[in-house]
Amino acid sequence: MQIFNGKAALMDFLKSIKTLNSTIGFVPTMGALHQGHLSLMQQSLSENQNTVVSIFVNPTQFNNPEDLLKYPRTLDQDIEKMASLSPDLIVYAPSVDDIYEGKILSQTFDFEGLENQMEGKFRPGHFNGVGTIVKRLFEIVTPTNAYFGEKDFQQLQIVKKMVEKNNLAVNVIGCPIHREKSGLAMSSRNERLTEVEKKEAALIYNTLIAAKEKFQSSSSKLVSDWVKKTFDENNSFELEYFQIADESTLLPCIRKNKNKKYRAFIAVIVNNIRLIDTISLN
Ligand code: PAF
């Protein structure tokens, strides 16, 4: 497995292996790899001649300094996991300086309102940070196909918008959420949960499943009220938001329209750890 810490050497290497019709698949990550990440890599390996994985905890997308500080960093284990998945993976694990060259700042993007909903309301600046790093990484890796998990569905839509507005030649591919047996969506942040919290956090997905069922015969408002009540009655979790939204605009569903695709989005805090999840409703 090839591992690069600097963009210059990575770019030279990618140039040297490029052939006329070869494709580069790209899986950007912040490390603390789990089965969800590995399945993105597997998909990329099966669809491209070359696959690059980046491991970089991006400071500009953290609005909360404590969250950045506590974000799990497990590079050695990550390298072991990738090596046992495939020796063909090309890993880019840069320093902050290799990416930001002394100026740790976000670019400001217009994502046509996608950035103002849900995560955008609760994490100011987050999506400018995501747009900045993903654009930077796309410039360095020049991928043909880039793979993102649907757990961060708002991020997926925002990356697609960034690619469209900047005319970038990258196919952005959304991939299904991987879950623990309990239903808890896999996330690097789960590493910070105790075993008891992990079990209890199954409530998040169970609530989404029940909300999906209720949405077939109830209004968005009634479903949202029910979800709020469910979390009000539970002392271990704080519900940050629950929103039923149009899948393409991410605007809240006020009145159901049978021609639209809806999705429920949820963010919950458990012992200072923020967990998000989402489910398609129709
Ligand atoms: O989803 C993530 O892990 C991050 O937001 C990403 C896309 C790697 C950018 O830092």
Side-chain angles (χ1 to χ4, degrees), residues 15 17 25 31 43 49 58 61 77 81 87 137 232 242 248:
K15 216 185 272 172
I17 58 171
Q43 185 169 342
Q49 279 71 42
N58 173 37
Q61 72 187 74
Q77 286 113 292
K81 285 180 190 168
L137 290 169
D232 280 350
F242 172 82
S248 56

Side-chain angles (χ1 to χ4, degrees), residues 28-31 37 54 56-58 61 71 126 129-130 133-134 137 148 152 155 159:
T29 82
M30 296 205 298
H37 294 118
S54 64
F56 179 64
V57 181
N58 173 37
Q61 72 187 74
Y71 200 87
H126 170 65
V130 170
I133 185 62
V134 173
L137 290 169
F148 291 81
D152 298 289
Q155 165 174 280
V159 170

Side-chain angles (χ1 to χ4, degrees), residues 16 20 23 26 40 65 70 80 112 224 227:
S16 76
L20 193 61
T23 61
F26 178 42
L40 299 181
K70 291 198 171 157
E80 270 174 37
E112 297 182 353
S224 303
V227 171

Side-chain angles (χ1 to χ4, degrees), residues 158-173:
I158 276 184
V159 170
K160 284 183 178 167
K161 183 63 71 187
M162 192 268 288
V163 164
E164 178 196 313
K165 292 190 83 161
N166 289 279
N167 288 317
L168 305 181
V170 185
N171 301 311
V172 176
I173 299 167

Side-chain angles (χ1 to χ4, degrees), residues 214 217-227:
K214 286 181 193 297
S217 54
S218 304
S219 68
S220 165
K221 164 129 188 21
L222 281 177
V223 178
S224 303
D225 289 348
W226 174 80
V227 171

Side-chain angles (χ1 to χ4, degrees), residues 21 54 57 74 98 111 119 121 133 170 185 193 213 218 258 278:
N21 292 317
S54 64
V57 181
T74 56
D98 193 53
F111 298 114
E119 291 298 284
K121 278 190 192 149
I133 185 62
V170 185
L193 298 171
E213 203 175 304
S218 304
K258 66 178 179 357
T278 177

